[in-house]
Amino acid sequence: MVRDPGSAPSAAGLNSREVILNAARALIDEKGYDGMAISDLCAGSGLPASSIYYHFGNKLGVLAALLDRTFGELHSLFPSPSSFDGLAPVERLEAWFTAACRSLDERPDYLRLLVAMSVGLQMESEAVHATVRRIRDYAHASWVDALTPVFAPNGGEEGEAVVKQLAVLGRALTDGLSVTNSFDGISYTSQVAPFVALVRGLAEQRGGKRKR
């Protein structure tokens, strides 16, 4: 039975929930999601299966809750693009992306978990799919916010289309870097300069065309 989210959990209940999520994070790092069983969660947390079912309903519920908690942890480290509104458009983008990549370098487990969950059969779970969708929509909106002053400061369909395309590319870049970070040890921050150079060059090219 899943606890009523509207009820007031005891301090002990909150603690056991966090213990289970901590065990799940360690097990996913070690075995991957598919290799993690409820019995592993019991062994890792020191709690009975009934506690896991009580808090999360099933293994997919554990996963959705872990994704949500990890996103909350990382979100607290992430700046908003609006934090750098005093800078010129490209410099604003660079400052935001640099700060975001530093946060990712501090928490590489976050994107690895998110990407792994985005491509597995667990995405068939409504709870997991909704959590992943919310996280990715947030990331896309942040990219749009960061890129709009560069390519569509005054609106316009053409500029807004470029912003949407580059937002998808930026999100895909960080997705891919989670794999590169795992296998090659390449940091997120090391890729800021090349991406910003790409954006700067494209912005200058588009600006030159408009002047002709």
Side-chain angles (χ1 to χ4, degrees):
M1 177 180 177
V2 181
R3 175 174 51 84
D4 178 3
S7 63
S10 66
L14 279 175
N15 184 59
S16 63
R17 189 177 192 277
E18 293 303 306
V19 166
I20 294 166
L21 292 179
N22 289 341
R25 174 179 285 166
L27 285 165
I28 289 173
D29 284 343
E30 177 187 352
K31 298 183 174 185
Y33 172 75
D34 291 332
M36 180 182 73
I38 292 293
S39 58
D40 295 321
L41 280 172
C42 292
S45 66
L47 294 168
S50 58
S51 291
I52 297 168
Y53 294 126
Y54 173 76
H55 287 295
F56 305 104
N58 53 36
K59 193 172 83 163
L60 285 169
V62 175
L63 175 61
L66 179 59
L67 274 174
D68 190 66
R69 188 184 76 168
T70 306
F71 174 63
E73 293 167 352
L74 190 68
H75 179 55
S76 67
L77 301 175
F78 258 53
S80 166
S82 62
S83 302
F84 307 99
D85 279 352
L87 299 175
V90 176
E91 284 66 32
R92 176 182 183 269
L93 166 70
E94 182 174 17
W96 167 75
F97 192 34
T98 299
C101 284
R102 284 175 181 158
S103 297
L104 290 172
D105 280 333
E106 292 176 13
R107 291 296 308 272
D109 61 302
Y110 166 71
L111 272 185
R112 287 201 295 267
L113 175 65
L114 179 59
V115 172
M117 295 309 100
S118 298
V119 298
L121 293 176
Q122 57 275 358
M123 277 295 287
E124 295 178 5
S125 160
E126 183 177 345
V128 173
H129 186 275
T131 302
V132 171
R133 183 74 271 159
R134 179 169 57 86
I135 293 170
R136 295 186 68 76
D137 285 348
Y138 171 83
H140 183 80
S142 295
W143 274 107
V144 169
D145 185 357
L147 290 162
T148 294
V150 181
F151 295 102
N154 302 310
E157 290 186 7
E158 184 178 353
E160 290 174 356
V162 171
V163 166
K164 289 180 181 178
Q165 290 171 342
L166 286 176
V168 171
L169 178 61
R171 192 176 61 183
L173 170 67
T174 50
D175 285 347
L177 283 174
S178 69
V179 178
T180 304
N181 178 275
S182 297
F183 284 96
D184 303 323
I186 294 176
S187 69
Y188 292 90
T189 49
S190 67
Q191 301 306 302
V192 170
F195 187 81
V196 172
L198 173 67
V199 170
R200 189 185 302 276
L202 181 58
E204 291 174 352
Q205 181 187 57
R206 287 177 55 80
K209 287 181 178 180
R210 285 194 292 268
K211 292 177 182 177
R212 291 176 188 173

